[in-house]
Structure formats: C-alpha cells, structure tokens
Amino acid sequence: MAPVTLIFLAISMSADAFAASISKGAELNKPKFHHAIGIGLVFGVIEAITPVLGWVAGKASQQYVEAWDHWVAFTLLSAIGLHMIYAGLKNEDKIEHRKQTLWLLILTATATSIDAMAVGASLAFIDVDIIVTSLAIGLTTTVMASIGTVLGHKFGQFVGHWAELIGGVVLIGIGVMVLIQHTGIL
C-alpha cells in the first residue's frame, strides 16, 4: 500500500472515533489535556486491534474468495463508506449527555471500530503489512480522538458530521482504487 493511501486510510478510519470523541468532549466541562489523551488512547488502542482481527479472519477465508477478492474489498470499503456518509448526513443530535465511565468509553470505542474490523478483512485480500497499517490507524485515531475531545465542548456536533462524511468518501475512493488496480480498468 502506498504511503499516501495508508495516510488516507488511517485518517478515514479514525473519523468515527473523532466524531464520538467530540461527543465525549462535549460531555466534559472544559476537558483537560490528560483527559483528552486518555480518551484518545482508548479509542486508538481498540482501533489498532480491530483491523488485525479482521485481517486474520480475511486471511482464513482468502483461499475461498481469491478469484474475486478485489470485489470483496471494494464492496466492504464502499459499504462502510456509504454508511459513514449516511451517518454524517443524518440530522439527529448525536451528543448524549451521560456520566463518563471507562466501560462506557470502551464500549463506544469498540462500537466505532467495528468498521475497522471489516476494513482489516478487506485488507487481507491485498498486499498490505497489517502491523504497519494497524499501528498507523491506531496512532492516527489516538491523535484524532484526543483533538476531538478538546474540540467537543467548543464545536460539538457540527465537526463530527463533516468527519464522517469525509471519512466515508475516502473509504469509497480507496475501494475504487483497489478495484481499478486489480482489474486493470485504467
């Protein structure tokens, strides 16, 4: 995977966590730097683990779908991207004020990283170093979620919608690139 593609993938995979961390930041009264880093680390660690789990599942099934693996990768990435765009376009208030607990934070981080597991499965079908990719996704998510926490109480829901929209478009673009590279369309 080209470094530029890896950067775009890592940023787009962190969009859900960024949006969720904005919500977490909105719940905090002037979040301190260490709160933002702690929230970012929880999101980042979970977001780094889930692509590896998906990749392992994808590798296990690779022999069964090898002839059309590029279509699987394209379909998964596009479906996740479309879902992110849909979530970004919804006009509902996503910020729910609840008591901050570590378990709720872990649950939120896990929920936002399910798409990373599906992306990890699709990455099993192309030539990708999953450790480097996973670390890039985790580090980017840590940074983005930390920033999102700080921005959360200032900008709230507006920024989260844009993050999901842009992340969705990027994932669809990566899916199209995989399809083009493997089918030789261009």
Side-chain angles (χ1 to χ4, degrees), residues 138-150:
L139 179 62
T140 303
T141 300
T142 299
V143 171
M144 295 284 287
S146 298
I147 292 169
T149 302
V150 172

Side-chain angles (χ1 to χ4, degrees), residues 129-145:
D129 182 341
I130 193 61
I131 300 301
V132 170
T133 303
S134 178
L135 289 174
I137 291 170
L139 179 62
T140 303
T141 300
T142 299
V143 171
M144 295 284 287

